[in-house]
Amino acid sequence: MKYQGSCHCGDISFTAEGELEQVIECNCSYCSRKGHLMWFVGRDKLDVTLKGSMSTYRFNKHVIDHQFCPRCGVGVFGMGKMPDGTPMAAINARCLENVDLASLKHSFYDGRSV
């Protein structure tokens, strides 16, 4: 299934394709402050459209590119690799349109311990 999403101001919009059955909540210092609920898809399943610009934030081991809108400040997704090296995108499910987040399975990841 294809899902539409965007930042708050609309400068970053995207479509993501996959089965959205669960989201992951991470307790690392970044995610816990931002409140992201992540849905992982292959990077080839993410199509991004920019009307403005997109900024990147990296921290800790610098292996994830946390992408956000410099105009409205919303973090839309992160780009990284799965443990096997497959390129992936961690979509912030809170940016998806017409998705009932309460109906999805929520899993927790202990990012603080990594």
Side-chain angles (χ1 to χ4, degrees):
M1 185 167 184
K2 280 196 176 181
Y3 294 90
Q4 302 287 326
S6 69
C7 64
H8 189 259
C9 71
D11 277 0
I12 303 169
S13 60
F14 61 90
T15 59
E17 188 173 351
E19 296 301 318
L20 178 55
E21 297 171 348
Q22 78 168 5
V23 291
I24 296 174
E25 185 174 343
C26 175
N27 68 355
C28 78
S29 61
Y30 184 74
C31 292
S32 62
R33 284 173 173 81
K34 298 297 272 184
H36 293 178
L37 295 175
M38 296 174 288
W39 170 46
F40 289 85
V41 298
R43 199 172 304 163
D44 62 334
K45 302 296 182 187
L46 175 66
D47 185 32
V48 179
T49 302
L50 295 176
K51 292 180 188 171
S53 61
M54 186 164 57
S55 291
T56 302
Y57 178 69
R58 294 180 194 96
F59 73 103
N60 197 3
K61 298 177 184 175
H62 296 254
V63 296
I64 300 172
D65 293 341
H66 298 275
Q67 307 290 349
F68 68 96
C69 177
R71 185 168 147 200
C72 67
V74 171
V76 286
F77 44 78
M79 302 288 208
K81 294 182 180 178
M82 298 300 281
D84 68 359
T86 304
M88 66 82 191
I91 309 293
N92 180 2
R94 294 186 187 276
C95 294
L96 297 172
E97 299 172 6
N98 304 314
V99 172
D100 179 11
L101 296 173
S103 69
L104 300 173
K105 178 183 176 189
H106 283 62
S107 296
F108 296 92
Y109 179 73
D110 186 11
R112 285 187 186 197
S113 298
V114 176

